Amino acid sequence: MIPNVLTVAGSDSGGGAGIQADLKTMLALGVHGMSVLTAVTAQNSLGVQGAWELPVEAVRAQYRSVVDDIGVQAVKTGMLASAELVEAVAELLAGTDAPAVVDPVGVSKHGDSLLAASALDSVRTKLLPVATVATPNLDEVAQLTGVRVESEEQLRRAAAAVLAYGPRWVLIKGGHLPGDAVDLLTDGVEEHWLRAPRHDNRHTHGTGCTLASAIASQLAKGRSVPEAVAAAKEYVTGAVAAGFALGGGIGPVDHGWEFRAGS
């Protein structure tokens, strides 16, 4: 059977991030992608021009519809927009017997806010405690914990600050640091440092969504967390290298890079 993976996230009308990136990633990695839409954005390569969140009842109904009938082997969360949505999704995840990858999306690639400031406490106290893996970037670490990372050595401190809120594992994404793209995966006991060469390509829209979805896809296949994250990092590194221009701003990573590489 093909594993089923559910994304709970917002829509990116430009197709580079959000639900669209998640489903493309899942297809590329050989799992069946399903979606719960939390918000609609007017978005392109230049930024986010508008965002409208869906009612909590609509999000809950979508989730129950999919999980109760089809079932899931992993869930990934992205843009949740408001405290009410964060808390509703956290409650749903707590009642689902599947690993959950939480990408605590705070701002877009272009710096546009995708999470209300009033929702941060709900992310800390409700959502992170039900995460199998949390995948914050350095801006999101600072937003959630107040810890600011300026060097590779400080990634451990950031990881400890996020783990204090209760996720089983945290992947601190160090992509904003100079040098190689280095991430730290840890559960507070084990440490896994993941390194990849930095590609000189500005077209990186959707990187975070893609990585979290790739991790969820690998977990759904039965891989351990370290195995899933390592495989996801390899996939995303290739997607970033193949990122392409789209519109007048920052283009997306190429979710189909492996198909094109083999053609």
Side-chain angles (χ1 to χ4, degrees):
M1 291 180 61
I2 299 175
N4 300 319
V5 183
L6 177 63
T7 169
V8 183
S11 168
D12 171 3
S13 55
I19 287 276
Q20 288 82 353
D22 298 339
L23 294 176
K24 291 174 187 178
T25 299
M26 292 168 191
L27 177 65
L29 295 179
V31 301
H32 175 63
M34 307 175 293
S35 61
V36 170
L37 201 63
T38 60
V40 175
T41 69
Q43 188 172 169
N44 56 26
S45 69
L46 300 173
V48 179
Q49 291 79 46
W52 301 266
E53 67 185 74
L54 269 68
V56 169
E57 303 78 42
V59 171
R60 189 179 286 115
Q62 291 176 80
Y63 190 99
R64 289 265 61 95
S65 176
V66 170
V67 173
D68 294 348
D69 173 48
I70 301 171
V72 293
Q73 279 69 60
V75 184
K76 175 260 177 183
T77 71
M79 177 185 177
L80 298 180
S82 69
E84 292 77 16
L85 283 176
V86 169
E87 291 174 14
V89 170
E91 182 182 344
L92 290 165
L93 291 177
T96 303
D97 185 20
V101 180
V102 169
D103 186 16
V105 175
V107 295
S108 75
K109 179 70 68 179
H110 306 88
D112 302 292
S113 177
L114 299 175
L115 181 72
S118 58
L120 285 172
D121 195 52
S122 296
V123 172
R124 297 182 192 106
T125 62
K126 305 290 186 183
L127 189 60
L128 289 178
V130 299
T132 306
V133 189
T135 63
N137 62 30
L138 299 186
D139 289 338
E140 290 155 356
V141 168
Q143 198 177 31
L144 289 166
T145 70
V147 174
R148 300 195 177 277
V149 176
E150 296 176 356
S151 68
E152 187 176 311
E153 295 71 31
Q154 295 174 320
L155 291 175
R156 282 195 181 98
R157 181 168 166 243
V162 177
L163 284 172
Y165 290 114
R168 282 178 48 204
W169 291 82
V170 63
L171 177 67
I172 304 294
K173 300 179 293 191
H176 294 174
L177 294 174
D180 286 348
V182 58
D183 306 324
L184 171 60
L185 172 70
T186 180
D187 62 354
V189 179
E190 290 183 40
E191 274 189 4
H192 302 268
W193 293 84
L194 299 101
R195 299 179 185 277
R198 186 177 300 278
H199 296 285
D200 184 18
N201 186 355
R202 67 189 291 261
H203 302 301
T204 57
H205 185 49
T207 309
C209 305
T210 300
L211 178 62
S213 294
I215 295 170
S217 298
Q218 299 294 354
L219 290 174
K221 295 178 181 179
R223 294 193 172 192
S224 68
V225 170
E227 290 170 341
V229 172
K233 171 89 168 177
E234 184 177 346
Y235 169 73
V236 169
T237 299
V240 168
F244 55 91
L246 192 73
I250 299 173
V253 302
D254 184 358
H255 299 95
W257 70 272
E258 290 181 301
F259 301 127
R260 279 180 265 283
S263 62

